[in-house]
Amino acid sequence: YAALNEYFKAATPPDVLARLRAYYVFNLSRNMMLSQETLRISKTLADEGITSIVYKGPLQASMIYRNMALREIADIDTIVHPDNLTRAKNALLAEDYNIAPTEEPMTDEELLAHPNKYALGLIRRDGRVSLEIHWRVMPAHSWYTYTTERLWDFVRPETIGETKVNFLQREFIFVQLCNHNEKHNWRGIRYLADVAGMIQTQRDINWKLVVQMASSFGKTNALLITCNLCRHLLGVELPEPIAEKLRGAGLVRARCAAIRANLFSTDVISFPSYRRWRFHCRQLDGDTDCSSWSDPFAYLASVLWPEASDKRRWFPLPPRLHFIYILPRLLRYLKWNYITSSPARNKPNSEART
């Protein structure tokens, strides 16, 4: 709506513009409500002596786009130190939140020790707000080289109104946005739009520090691939330190060409094909060539042995029988890859189209 109203208002049918404006105003109203809730949560935790970090959400969207109405926000995210998870959860449960029904029943100790868990989902009792309490920004098995404790080295305190709020440094946020694109295998234009928006509105960022930070995290490829895609797909002029780094990165440019083709592919299935899985491995830092004899076994493990929280919640089994959870997933894999007809498997990729 913002783009059409500013540049193509005369060429846009009034009824279309009116519908878009209604949704634009609705999204702005919702994001303003989420912003107020974010500040309230920060104050609630601070009153309990718990230091928290505002992570993602409408306040970060406002920084990136200079207009929080331009980004849809699904939930609120806050980060606490792992030692404070129980206290933070209890403080919010005592207010007006409940544990989200999608959460698997686990003790706090089990949550913190679980390699795939990095946030606890809560939902406000009126159902209007979802909240995630993070103690990590990504699962422990992710390809990161910084520890949870080091995350707190990147805190940037600010005051909004009368509330003191902790944010992450903009340089760290930028690297994290690039990592988020890698996490989703560069499958969504909207994730690239976040990076592009930050490049365009935050030109005073220390871009040399961004490059150094990505290198120290082992995420140089994620940074360069994401920025190069923003340049070619969204027409963004890259900061000189990143552009300079790209000039000698022929392998990154080759990977970007493959990602662009993959981004608009219509081959969408529930499980990644072996070809697509190997493709994703090649994008990871470390120049993985995925040519090892063990690749087929690693692929089957990634497909058949994910967390099955819903199944464990509805059909609890003793640990010695957890292998049974694999069977429904195996059947679905066979259905999607060998039984389902081609037209059904080749539905257009709505995420790519977006």
Side-chain angles (χ1 to χ4, degrees), residues 275-333:
R275 174 189 58 79
R276 188 179 290 268
W277 180 82
R278 295 182 74 230
F279 166 82
H280 179 62
C281 285
R282 289 192 178 96
Q283 315 315 318
L284 301 176
D285 282 318
D287 300 333
T288 306
D289 60 10
C290 292
S291 60
S292 168
W293 62 268
S294 62
D295 283 349
F297 300 101
Y299 166 67
L300 288 175
S302 71
V303 167
L304 300 179
W305 200 263
E307 283 306 300
S309 58
D310 286 342
K311 297 182 183 62
R312 294 184 183 186
R313 179 155 48 90
W314 296 111
F315 306 101
L317 294 172
R320 66 179 180 276
L321 298 179
H322 278 187
F323 68 91
I324 295 176
Y325 293 127
I326 297 177
L327 299 179
R329 193 167 177 89
L330 176 60
L331 293 175
R332 288 178 59 209
Y333 172 79

Side-chain angles (χ1 to χ4, degrees), residues 96-129:
D96 51 358
Y97 279 86
N98 292 325
I99 301 294
T102 55
E103 286 292 328
E104 182 179 1
M106 300 176 73
T107 66
D108 293 343
E109 291 74 17
E110 290 173 331
L111 277 173
L112 293 172
H114 202 293
N116 292 333
K117 301 290 185 181
Y118 56 97
L120 173 66
L122 305 180
I123 187 166
R124 206 167 69 181
R125 293 193 181 107
D126 62 5
R128 297 183 62 198
V129 179

Side-chain angles (χ1 to χ4, degrees), residues 19-267:
R19 289 200 301 271
L20 289 174
R21 183 182 185 280
Y23 189 78
Y24 176 90
V25 172
F26 167 79
N27 193 54
L28 174 60
S29 175
R30 173 174 166 75
N31 285 353
M32 291 177 65
M33 180 272 291
L34 291 177
S35 296
Q36 292 299 319
E37 184 69 3
T38 300
L39 296 177
R40 187 179 77 89
I41 289 170
S42 296
K43 186 177 186 305
T44 298
L45 296 178
D47 290 345
E48 295 292 327
I50 302 170
T51 302
S52 62
I53 304 173
V54 172
Y55 181 53
K56 302 189 292 186
L59 297 179
Q60 181 171 303
S62 182
M63 177 196 71
I64 294 175
Y65 293 99
R66 301 288 174 85
N67 180 354
M68 69 172 64
L70 299 182
R71 184 66 157 85
E72 293 179 278
I73 306 299
D75 56 17
I76 296 174
D77 299 86
T78 188
I79 303 174
V80 299
H81 193 277
D83 294 342
N84 291 328
L85 174 63
T86 300
R87 292 174 58 211
K89 180 188 72 174
N90 291 338
L92 293 170
L93 292 179
E95 288 283 323
D96 51 358
Y97 279 86
N98 292 325
I99 301 294
T102 55
E103 286 292 328
E104 182 179 1
M106 300 176 73
T107 66
D108 293 343
E109 291 74 17
E110 290 173 331
L111 277 173
L112 293 172
H114 202 293
N116 292 333
K117 301 290 185 181
Y118 56 97
L120 173 66
L122 305 180
I123 187 166
R124 206 167 69 181
R125 293 193 181 107
D126 62 5
R128 297 183 62 198
V129 179
S130 296
L131 165 68
E132 286 191 344
I133 308 176
H134 292 252
W135 55 93
R136 289 190 290 257
V137 295
M138 293 286 279
H141 60 71
S142 299
W143 295 274
Y144 282 82
T145 56
Y146 66 82
T147 62
T148 301
E149 289 72 20
R150 189 181 172 192
L151 175 68
W152 294 85
D153 296 337
F154 305 109
V155 171
R156 172 174 57 92
E158 288 190 15
T159 300
I160 300 179
E162 299 180 354
T163 305
K164 293 182 179 180
V165 181
N166 291 316
F167 292 94
L168 292 168
Q169 291 179 12
R170 291 181 299 166
E171 291 80 6
F172 181 89
I173 290 174
F174 187 84
V175 174
Q176 178 60 21
L177 289 175
C178 294
N179 295 341
H180 193 243
N181 274 271
E182 183 198 52
K183 172 188 173 183
H184 292 281
N185 202 11
W186 296 277
R187 285 192 301 233
I189 291 293
R190 67 190 178 110
Y191 301 131
L192 291 174
D194 288 340
V195 176
M198 198 163 183
I199 293 174
Q200 293 170 326
T201 62
Q202 307 291 316
R203 302 298 293 189
D204 60 335
I205 281 181
N206 186 340
W207 294 105
K208 290 184 178 179
L209 178 59
V210 168
V211 173
Q212 294 170 3
M213 195 177 288
S215 177
S216 69
F217 297 159
K219 286 298 174 182
T220 298
N221 277 5
L223 172 72
L224 296 181
I225 289 174
T226 304
C227 290
N228 200 39
L229 289 171
C230 287
R231 176 169 63 181
H232 286 285
L233 294 176
L234 302 176
V236 175
E237 181 181 353
L238 299 182
E240 181 55 31
I242 296 178
E244 180 181 0
K245 194 80 174 176
L246 272 169
R247 291 188 189 106
L251 179 60
V252 166
R253 293 195 298 273
R255 287 175 172 176
C256 284
I259 291 170
R260 289 200 302 270
N262 187 64
L263 180 64
F264 298 105
S265 170
T266 59
D267 178 23

